[in-house]
Amino acid sequence: MPAYSPPSHSQAMRNPFLPDQSPPSPPRTRSPTRSLRAFTSHLLNKSGKPWATLSLLGDAEHSKTVPVFVEGSPVTGEVRLDLESGDAIHAVLLSLRGQIITGATPSEMVTFVDLPITLWSRSMGDPRKPGGGGKWSQKLRGEYVWPFSISLPPTVTLPAAVGRAEEVFRLPQTFFERHTRGQIEYEVTVRFTRTKLRSDHRLSAPINYMPVSRPGPPSRLRQLAYQQHTALLGPDSDPEGWHTLPSVTAWGKLLSTSRTVEAKCRLSLATPLCYTRGSSIPCALVIECNDPQALTLLASPESAVLRLRRSVRFHGGEKTVAHHGDVTTKLVWKEELDHSELASWWPAADRALETDSTDAIAIHAYRRMLKGEIHLRADLMTSSAIAHFRIEYSVVLFPFDAPGYESLDHEPLLSADNKHLYAPATLPPRSSL
């Protein structure tokens, strides 16, 4: 593990504990006029020319290969026909659907939102001026354009199991990873219906949905530190600004003497426990050990191993979404774990013990504090919880990894559950995740 040095102004990762750093910039507000990027899908005729086109206008800032629609912005686009010969189309139907997919069978595909609209049908009259006349009885030929705009609700209400009330969930972010079985998928589909003797045509395109939220304000002392460009106070001096977990004991052996040692560890995370993608999680670790040699080894910034853990949990086999409320002991939950960001540490003064008291000095000799941060990638998925699908985050403290020290712990020392992580930093504030 490489040694840590405090980042400079030119580095991307900001050290929130150093006094010479600028306070964090507020999230950029979005312009009322969005910049849009068009994505098109086609159906081709026998000569290879498009006869049906589905166009979607995604947010240009976030759309790369797939149109992205941010919470609060409508899903907009148009359906275009270019028919060289007459076609007896009876209706043009559009739907926007969101699904949880945990397998290939229909029972493993649960729809949590389905928004259908009729762009045109024969009962609406002239396809170029829908609603302006009587029933249309002719074949369609030539060019036709039907624009559309669909507003996705920020939440959906899903039925629970028998005996339990319905539950309200926020729409989750699109989630697809090649090596993860569970998925969250959104898709826009247009269907051209015909008579029973002729087959319908379908044209579908995936979209990405991005929910919006922002953490609440930090503690008053942390805000003051940002304003005055001073170092952030630690957990003892600013208890309102930190969430401190119960102490845990780490056991190990010094290789030079084969002596078994124990150390008490207390981890603190900055509050509120909701963080912005692309920023960092400030953290503090207090280590107490009555063996000076062991304390020196464990309190080295290279020895403490704190990582961000993502858990994707789901269970499959449900025929309807109502099964998500069943008793958990009757369900087989599958969990896929991913450990990514590693905390960077540096030694920190323990201000609570900076005193002339002889007792305090004695205690300080057996106590060290590390301060650090976990940098959060800008492309992390937001935490989600809907029906039988969960994306959750936690901060996990693993056994110490220090030269000359052999850990006797075979499992993580502690896990700080953090199920409300991450909101895009470039988006306006909304209700917290």
Side-chain angles (χ1 to χ4, degrees), residues 48 82 111 154 164 182 236 238 273 319 332 352 356 392:
D82 188 359
T111 300
R164 297 183 61 184
D236 291 329
D238 181 19
L273 296 180
K319 294 183 178 180
V332 179
D356 294 332
E392 300 172 344

Side-chain angles (χ1 to χ4, degrees), residues 216-230:
S219 68
R220 290 170 293 179
L221 289 177
R222 178 169 288 126
Q223 293 183 55
L224 185 63
Y226 287 142
Q227 294 169 4
Q228 298 182 350
H229 296 196
T230 58

Side-chain angles (χ1 to χ4, degrees), residues 252-389:
K253 182 171 63 175
L254 293 178
L255 298 182
S256 60
T257 61
S258 297
R259 185 168 67 250
T260 299
V261 295
E262 65 173 302
K264 291 186 177 180
C265 308
R266 190 169 73 249
L267 176 67
S268 301
L269 302 176
T271 58
L273 296 180
C274 179
Y275 307 99
T276 301
R277 295 183 295 191
S279 67
S280 61
I281 302 177
C283 40
L285 180 65
V286 174
I287 306 169
E288 296 181 357
C289 181
N290 57 10
D291 187 305
Q293 181 182 358
L295 182 60
T296 300
L297 292 176
L298 299 182
S300 169
E302 295 85 2
S303 301
V305 183
L306 186 71
R307 301 194 82 106
L308 182 71
R309 170 188 283 176
R310 188 191 71 185
S311 167
V312 179
R313 301 175 60 242
F314 56 87
H315 59 78
E318 291 76 16
K319 294 183 178 180
T320 66
V321 76
H323 288 78
H324 82 267
D326 286 348
V327 179
T328 53
T329 54
K330 296 181 180 180
L331 302 174
V332 179
W333 285 83
K334 299 178 181 179
E335 183 174 34
E336 299 181 7
L337 299 177
D338 176 67
H339 294 94
S340 54
E341 281 67 16
L342 179 68
S344 298
W345 300 98
W346 57 92
D350 189 343
R351 295 190 173 185
L353 298 179
E354 290 179 355
T355 174
D356 294 332
S357 169
T358 303
D359 293 338
I361 294 176
I363 296 174
H364 188 70
Y366 298 101
R367 172 173 167 166
R368 297 288 187 274
M369 175 183 287
L370 295 174
K371 286 185 178 179
E373 61 183 2
I374 301 176
H375 181 65
L376 305 176
R377 300 195 322 268
D379 62 348
L380 284 174
M381 301 301 300
T382 58
S383 54
S384 300
I386 183 167
H388 58 285
F389 185 88

